[in-house]
């Protein structure tokens, strides 16, 4: 079966329904093609200066250019795309929070061989997460059209339900063909890989991925975006980058300070009616932390 396409007017629930069934879904024309051109323009010098990958997995004729939050103001909006965030919340909502995992333009040069088929969550030291326990929600935005010929991402629909550690070949996969401005959504558990580029053009995708906040980020957000740029970014984006608590106490600074206050010393938390369920969850977590309740 091929990767299912959904219109940009879809709700997060509709996307999640396809993700739950197939592990991947394409949202057509999620942004205008001109937005992709804008990213291309902002990223051009950095892409040109990026060398090919260091091994066959990274792709020796594939350029991976990161730091998109620092380098491309347009990518900041893509990272914060409301439909993506709502989908991530649904997919990763079983944890206290989720975060930006990596930001990367992937430019697969003409003649590049296919990337080995893999699960992105293997980056976590090949830990075998329980089936159905998603730790990543990924997007790859088509910065150029994605065609079967130019190296569209290859996906095995429904393989998020397969056993771990399997090996696949190109013929087992389907191309995620999509037009510029569309986005492929896929879980960390889906088997996939960058396609072979048999065309004479470079295939460019913008890989923006999100992970549970208690996992290490693939791209170090604190060093990829210089502090002086971070200080200019909106709080919501900073929170998503990891300047936040990734659970009851994960990620505090020195004397249990909120990391956002380090980047933005003048930041004052807006008074917000706390949600009862969230408060109860934190109380339970705090109890567990202190060891209360064990003798109760
Ligand atoms: O470039 C692509 O289409 C996918 C790349 C990929 O899956 C990866 O680098 O993990
Ligand atoms: Fe991947």
């Amino acid at each position: 079966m091929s990767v299912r396409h959904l219109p940009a007017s879809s709700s997060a629930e509709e996307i999640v329904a396809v993700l739950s069934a197939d592990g991947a879904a394409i949202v057509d024309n999620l942004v205008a093609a001109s937005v992709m051109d804008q990213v291309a323009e902002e990223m051009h010098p950095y892409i040109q200066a990026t060398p090919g990958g260091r091994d066959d997995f990274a792709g020796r004729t594939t350029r991976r250019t990161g730091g998109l939050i620092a380098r491309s103001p347009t990518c900041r909006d893509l990272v914060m795309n409301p439909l993506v965030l709502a989908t991530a919340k649904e997919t990763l909502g079983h944890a206290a929070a989720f975060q930006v995992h990596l930001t990367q333009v992937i430019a697969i040069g003409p003649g590049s061989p296919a990337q080995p088929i893999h699960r992105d969550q293997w980056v976590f030291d090949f830990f075998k997460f329980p089936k159905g326990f998603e730790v990543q929600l990924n997007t790859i935005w088509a910065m150029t059209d994605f065609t079967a010929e130019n190296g569209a991402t290859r996906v095995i629909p429904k393989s998020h339900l397969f056993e771990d550690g399997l090996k696949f070949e190109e013929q087992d996969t389907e191309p995620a063909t999509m037009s510029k401005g569309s986005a492929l959504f896929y879980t960390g558990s889906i088997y996939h890989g960058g396609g072979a580029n048999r065309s004479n053009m470079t295939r460019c995708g913008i890989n923006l991925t999100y992970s549970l906040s208690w996992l290490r980020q693939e791209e170090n957000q604190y060093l990829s975006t210089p502090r002086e740029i971070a200080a200019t970014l909106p709080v919501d984006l900073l929170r998503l980058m990891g300047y936040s608590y990734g659970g009851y106490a994960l990620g505090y600074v020195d004397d249990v300070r909120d990391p956002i206050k380090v980047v933005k010393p003048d930041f004052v938390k807006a008074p917000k009616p706390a949600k009862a369920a969230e408060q109860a969850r934190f109380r339970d977590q705090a109890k567990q932390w202190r060891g209360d309740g064990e003798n109760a």
Side-chain angles (χ1 to χ4, degrees):
M1 71 172 281
S2 48
V3 185
R4 278 196 262 177
H5 287 249
L6 292 165
S9 57
S10 304
S11 65
E13 290 71 25
E14 286 165 331
I15 297 170
V16 169
V18 177
L19 283 176
S20 306
D22 297 353
I26 291 166
V27 178
D28 288 318
N29 308 312
L30 188 48
V31 295
S34 58
V35 175
M36 298 289 105
D37 292 338
Q38 220 168 308
V39 175
E41 198 179 313
E42 290 163 355
M43 289 306 298
H44 179 76
Y46 302 105
I47 297 170
Q48 288 311 305
T50 306
R54 62 182 169 179
D55 56 28
D56 292 342
F57 185 82
R60 296 180 197 279
T61 45
T62 294
R63 294 174 186 203
R64 293 170 184 273
T65 311
L68 303 189
I69 292 175
R71 293 168 163 176
S72 164
T74 305
C75 279
R76 296 172 197 165
D77 293 336
L78 295 181
V79 168
M80 296 293 285
N81 179 277
L83 189 60
V84 173
L85 293 188
T87 305
K89 197 163 181 213
E90 288 277 323
T91 312
L92 306 176
H94 49 85
F98 64 90
Q99 63 191 353
V100 169
H101 186 51
L102 69 80
T103 68
Q104 191 177 83
V105 169
I106 304 178
I108 302 183
S112 296
Q115 185 186 37
I117 301 299
H118 61 279
R119 282 180 156 161
D120 278 352
Q121 67 192 32
W122 285 347
V123 79
F124 301 112
D125 218 16
F126 295 93
F127 183 77
K128 291 186 192 321
F129 292 102
K131 218 178 264 187
F133 186 85
E134 297 300 347
V135 297
Q136 266 187 267
L137 187 272
N138 305 325
T139 58
I140 186 161
W141 297 72
M143 198 167 135
T144 55
D145 287 343
F146 273 34
T147 68
E149 200 196 8
N150 78 3
T153 311
R154 309 289 309 197
V155 177
I156 307 181
K158 300 195 184 294
S159 61
H160 60 312
L161 304 170
F162 291 2
E163 292 310 311
D164 209 38
L166 302 179
K167 288 202 176 358
F168 293 100
E169 300 301 331
E170 189 175 345
Q171 64 266 21
D172 305 316
T173 66
E174 295 287 337
T177 53
M178 54 182 173
S179 57
K180 186 160 138 184
S182 305
L184 168 68
F185 288 53
Y186 58 108
T187 63
S189 54
I190 197 81
Y191 283 91
H192 72 284
N197 187 343
R198 301 186 179 99
S199 76
N200 54 16
M201 67 171 283
T202 297
R203 189 231 68 178
C204 286
I206 306 164
N207 201 196
L208 302 177
T209 74
Y210 308 81
S211 60
L212 303 188
S213 292
W214 49 261
L215 288 163
R216 177 117 198 237
Q217 289 156 306
E218 190 161 332
E219 179 186 49
N220 187 316
Q221 297 303 310
Y222 314 105
L223 294 174
S224 296
T225 296
R227 269 277 286 282
E228 56 279 15
I229 295 181
T232 68
L233 298 177
V235 170
D236 285 357
L237 176 56
L238 289 169
R239 292 266 185 233
L240 198 60
M241 289 164 70
Y243 294 91
S244 56
Y245 288 110
Y248 171 63
L250 292 177
Y252 71 78
V253 179
D254 50 46
D255 309 325
V256 201
R257 278 196 300 153
D258 180 349
I260 211 89
K261 296 217 173 103
V262 178
V263 190
K264 288 185 179 274
D266 299 332
F267 173 74
V268 189
K269 204 169 171 182
K272 180 170 105 179
K275 285 185 216 122
E278 212 164 279
Q279 276 183 328
R281 180 179 181 156
F282 269 72
R283 263 200 309 274
D284 286 350
Q285 278 179 338
K287 250 193 213 169
Q288 261 183 4
W289 186 263
R290 292 193 306 260
D292 292 4
E294 266 165 34
N295 306 319

